[in-house]
Amino acid sequence: MNHNPSHERQSAEHARTGKPNKFSGATCILSTLGIGLLGLGVGAITAPYFRAAAALIALLGLTVHLIALIHTARSKHPASSAGRVWLTAIYGSCWIILLVLTFALLRMWLLPA
């Protein structure tokens, strides 16, 4: 597992020199904006096909985002999050919700009414 902060990425240069590349804040923001616009464009193109499942897809995205946020919080502050039962409960609940939403989405697409 990579224990570097999110703005530090391992590269061939990092492997050779031992120094990670650091991206500027502007680069990270620009990258995030670019992928967001890509998602918006793909969403606009495929909107007619996914209209019936739009709410499920949005909830699926939110759940995946929450899992990532909790995982990041746990990895950055393991001592402070170790004894928090509520954090573990939310994390486990998110995985259950993710499974339920995934199966509901698959059922909607594979077994149309």
Side-chain angles (χ1 to χ4, degrees):
M1 183 155 111
N2 185 359
H3 295 289
N4 292 328
S6 63
H7 64 280
E8 296 178 357
R9 303 284 187 240
Q10 288 185 342
S11 63
E13 180 73 17
H14 180 205
R16 199 166 10 103
T17 64
K19 294 180 181 178
N21 293 336
K22 291 190 177 187
F23 295 114
S24 69
T27 303
C28 290
I29 291 170
L30 190 60
S31 174
T32 303
L33 178 63
I35 200 68
L37 289 172
L38 174 66
L40 181 66
V42 170
I45 291 168
T46 60
Y49 305 106
F50 296 116
R51 182 170 288 129
L56 281 176
I57 293 170
L59 289 173
L60 199 65
L62 178 63
T63 304
V64 170
H65 180 67
L66 288 173
I67 288 171
L69 284 177
I70 293 169
H71 182 74
T72 302
R74 285 175 141 185
S75 64
K76 284 187 176 184
H77 307 288
S80 65
S81 65
R84 306 247 168 115
V85 175
W86 61 270
L87 191 59
T88 303
I90 292 172
Y91 188 69
S93 298
C94 283
W95 279 105
I96 292 169
I97 292 168
L98 181 65
L99 287 172
V100 169
L101 289 173
T102 301
F103 284 123
L105 195 58
L106 287 173
R107 194 175 116 229
M108 178 184 285
W109 286 339
L110 298 176
L111 303 171

